[in-house]
Structure formats: structure tokens, C-alpha cells
Amino acid sequence: MRSSLYVMLISLPIFFFSGCGEPDLPKDQYNLEECREELLEANDFKHEGSIDHIIVEKAERKMYLYKGNETVGVLPVSLGKNPVGHKQRQGDNRTPEGEFFIHRKLCSPKYYRSLCISYPRPEDIESAKKRGVRPGGDITIHAQPKWNADGKQDAYTLSQNWTQGCVAVTNSVMEELWYAVREGVPVTIR
């Protein structure tokens, strides 16, 4: 795991879409049977190569993976469409900032597999309430949308901030993170 996560190099051609929205894409979803079975049987974690802290540096669009005090991986990420600053309300397309943790793993029909982040925290809920807005939620570290299931457009997706506030990685990276991360792992986003 260490060697494959140290630095992910992208050498795929960039693919540009014209117009708004996604091109005509398959409407089916990821087959989640294997993922769900792993969760039910608690086969979703392997101690070898485990990660015990994740730091996302928004300005760099990078995710740093740590085991103890040692950096074991540096990965490119995509962020929310409006990446500057902390998430203020539902629908602002910002990626939240602060100290969180992985509170659940999710087999996602939309984004393959996801690591759910503990946003909103009580202070996020209170802040939004004072401003009369909803804080938003369902923030995850997730893989690619169905139209990029084969990874051929990873260079394109990683060159953009396109999520609604989540942190996106490639499917191959998520495959490794899925087995390297347990619920409770701290996630720092700054």
C-alpha cells in the first residue's frame, strides 16, 4: 500500500465536456453487492497498510495519509465547487474545515464507496441555526461518479473542483483507503 499511495501520478489525457452538466451517461448504478457483503462480514479493514489520520489541505488540493507521525501517502483530490472557506450552509458547495472523524463507511450507488465525515458537528449546527440556515450534511470522502467508473477520466475529474462539498478521490485510491481506514479515524480539513 505504501508504495502505491506515496504519490499518485496522473498521466491520462484530459477530457473536456462541452455545455452544462454531464454528457449522456449510463443510468445504472455501481454494483454494490460485494461492498455490502464486506461490511456485513466486517471484511472492510486490513491492518496491514492501515491509516490513522487523514489531513486534507484544500489550498493544495491534496490529501495526506498518516500512520503515526509518518506521511505514508500524498494524493490529489477534488473539492466542492466553491472550495474557499468553511461550509456555511446547505447548498453552498463548500468543503467544511476543521477536525472531524470517519463515522461510517457507505456503499454508494452514485460514487462507488464513501467514507462518511462527521459533519455537521454541534458547533456547525448551532452556527447555522443562529444564521437561520441549514448546515448541510452527508459530507464524505468519495470515489468517482458512475460515468468515470473505469477511471479513464481521472485526470479530468482531479483537475476540477466539482463536488457539492465532499472530497473526491479516484476509484483505485478509494479501493485502498476503504481497507486502510476504520471508523473513528480523525480527518482534518484545512
Side-chain angles (χ1 to χ4, degrees):
M1 170 151 167
R2 173 184 262 178
S3 63
S4 63
L5 284 179
Y6 238 99
V7 177
M8 183 179 163
L9 298 175
I10 302 166
S11 60
L12 300 171
I14 294 180
F15 179 76
F16 294 97
F17 297 121
S18 59
C20 296
E22 297 176 344
D24 291 333
L25 307 171
K27 302 297 182 214
D28 57 333
Q29 302 174 339
Y30 281 108
N31 180 344
L32 303 177
E33 190 174 316
E34 179 184 334
C35 179
R36 289 181 181 136
E37 189 174 308
E38 284 178 354
L39 288 176
L40 285 173
E41 295 177 5
N43 290 329
D44 61 313
F45 177 75
K46 296 179 181 168
H47 213 334
E48 181 183 317
S50 64
I51 303 299
D52 57 23
H53 192 179
I54 298 170
I55 297 178
V56 176
E57 294 287 353
K58 289 171 59 174
E60 297 175 25
R61 296 181 63 237
K62 300 247 189 255
M63 176 187 296
Y64 294 82
L65 307 175
Y66 290 88
K67 177 72 174 179
N69 291 325
E70 184 181 351
T71 305
V72 296
V74 180
L75 308 164
V77 297
S78 298
L79 302 168
K81 295 178 217 174
N82 184 16
V84 178
H86 178 58
K87 187 162 192 64
Q88 298 296 307
R89 62 176 173 75
Q90 183 175 332
D92 67 5
N93 293 317
R94 288 186 179 177
T95 302
E97 297 174 353
E99 300 294 326
F100 307 97
F101 63 91
I102 301 298
H103 72 90
R104 172 178 141 199
K105 290 184 175 183
L106 177 67
C107 303
S108 172
K110 192 172 181 182
Y111 297 115
Y112 180 52
R113 295 179 182 203
S114 301
L115 304 172
C116 301
I117 296 173
S118 61
Y119 176 89
R121 302 163 298 181
E123 60 264 35
D124 299 312
I125 294 168
E126 185 60 32
S127 175
K129 186 177 178 180
K130 286 179 183 175
R131 289 179 281 112
V133 298
R134 292 180 179 199
D138 298 326
I139 301 297
T140 67
I141 298 171
H142 64 66
Q144 296 293 297
K146 177 68 179 175
W147 62 264
N148 191 30
D150 61 7
K152 290 182 179 177
Q153 303 309 321
D154 285 350
Y156 173 76
T157 61
L158 290 172
S159 71
Q160 309 293 314
N161 286 323
W162 55 271
T163 76
Q164 294 177 355
C166 296
V167 177
V169 296
T170 66
N171 286 2
S172 60
V173 165
M174 178 52 70
E175 189 76 30
E176 293 188 42
L177 281 177
W178 184 261
Y179 297 107
V181 174
R182 280 192 165 157
E183 292 177 7
V185 166
V187 177
T188 303
I189 305 174
R190 54 189 180 206

